[in-house]
Amino acid sequence: ADLLLAVGGAHAVAALAYGLGDALAPVDLICGPGNKWVTAAKSIVSGFCGIDMLAGPSEVLVIADASADPQVVAADLLAQAEHDVEARPILVTPDAAVIASVNRALQSQLETLTTSEVAIPAVQKGFAVLVGDIAEAVRVSDRIAPEHLEIQTADAQAVGESCANYGGLFIGAHAAEVLGDYGAGPNHVLPTAGTGKYTGGLSVHTFLRQRTWMRIDDLVAAQRQVEDSVALARLEGLEGHARAAERRLIADGGAGKKQRAA
């Protein structure tokens, strides 16, 4: 690191985006999650500099069947619910009895949870989805594209492999999402609010750019591309484009003729 800035919140985002005079030049990219004020600030500076994502409240979706332990499912739902009153714990199951047993487990565990003041409002805003079968559960999950997706079913590996949209996938009852929070497995900074449909979590790839370049050494071999460019440019009504391409035609008196003579 070139500089450690001991500041947080929306004002830290502003400092990074706009700079602090000689102390800190504006940065190219701001990464990392925060509260709603940080998210709003990142939204404002997006475009002025790059951002990784606009992270919303934490989410967990558990696909569970009758083989799942309701106490484990409830514990995992509460682990996300205690993050924020706006967090979203979601249960998707083809078995109505699972919903009932998980609800009982939630009530029991909330009685002794020290963060219940935060978790209870989040649980109240969460929901359960009763589906016809596991295939439908996968379709529901893919539509939501949760930040964290847990699979607690029979043949969890196959179910997990059939899922397409999520931030992080946790397969089987042993793979608690909280283990991912504290160092086992995937990154903890993951897409929320359905953005897992088109992006992934923060990683080294966030700091890389794809840049392209072109060099033409054999203009004779490139004549087809030159001719196509002339034709397409005129179809678009871009005469300047067409004339610039024509300068590379060997039949023209420009660079193409010089290369052929050489």
Side-chain angles (χ1 to χ4, degrees):
D2 298 317
L3 176 69
L4 177 61
L5 189 63
V7 63
H11 41 299
V13 174
L16 293 171
Y18 304 125
L20 294 173
D22 294 336
L24 175 67
V27 302
D28 297 321
L29 179 68
I30 298 175
C31 295
N35 60 22
K36 59 185 177 182
W37 308 114
V38 168
T39 300
K42 288 171 69 177
S43 176
I44 291 171
V45 303
S46 176
F48 189 85
C49 67
I51 64 169
D52 54 345
M53 67 184 77
L54 296 175
S58 188
E59 307 160 347
V60 64
L61 187 151
V62 180
I63 297 178
D65 62 12
S67 69
D69 183 338
Q71 294 292 338
V72 172
V73 174
D76 289 355
L77 293 173
L78 290 178
Q80 291 306 304
E82 71 176 355
H83 269 300
D84 191 302
V85 296
E86 298 298 331
R88 287 292 181 273
I90 304 166
L91 171 63
V92 182
T93 178
D95 192 332
V98 171
I99 296 176
S101 58
V102 169
N103 277 335
R104 288 193 296 269
L106 285 170
Q107 293 172 357
S108 174
Q109 293 181 31
L110 279 168
E111 292 176 359
T112 57
L113 187 65
T114 56
T115 54
S116 61
E117 289 186 3
V118 175
I120 288 174
V123 170
Q124 290 173 337
K125 294 173 183 176
F127 55 90
V129 181
L130 181 62
V131 294
D133 52 30
I134 290 296
E136 186 180 3
V138 170
R139 291 194 295 272
V140 169
S141 177
D142 280 346
R143 183 172 180 179
I144 295 173
E147 177 187 14
H148 307 103
L149 172 58
E150 288 192 357
I151 309 297
Q152 298 193 32
T153 66
D155 200 7
Q157 183 67 38
V159 175
E161 290 175 356
S162 68
C163 296
N165 301 328
Y166 50 81
L169 177 62
F170 303 85
I171 301 173
H174 299 322
E177 185 279 323
V178 295
L179 301 182
D181 288 351
Y182 294 115
N187 196 330
H188 184 46
V189 183
L190 300 169
T192 62
T195 56
K197 294 174 182 176
Y198 58 82
T199 191
L202 178 66
S203 73
V204 67
H205 299 290
T206 307
F207 299 88
L208 300 177
R209 290 174 293 159
Q210 289 185 339
R211 291 170 289 179
T212 62
W213 61 276
M214 180 182 71
R215 171 176 167 173
I216 295 178
D217 293 323
D218 188 344
L219 192 55
V220 174
Q223 285 301 287
R224 181 63 180 271
Q225 284 88 349
V226 174
E227 293 166 356
D228 287 348
S229 297
V230 172
L232 289 169
R234 289 211 163 103
L235 285 171
E236 291 186 327
L238 298 174
E239 184 61 24
H241 283 59
R243 293 182 183 184
E246 281 180 328
R247 291 294 176 179
R248 276 76 181 179
L249 284 171
I250 290 178
D252 187 74
K257 187 173 184 179
K258 291 179 182 178
Q259 175 166 318
R260 183 174 59 176

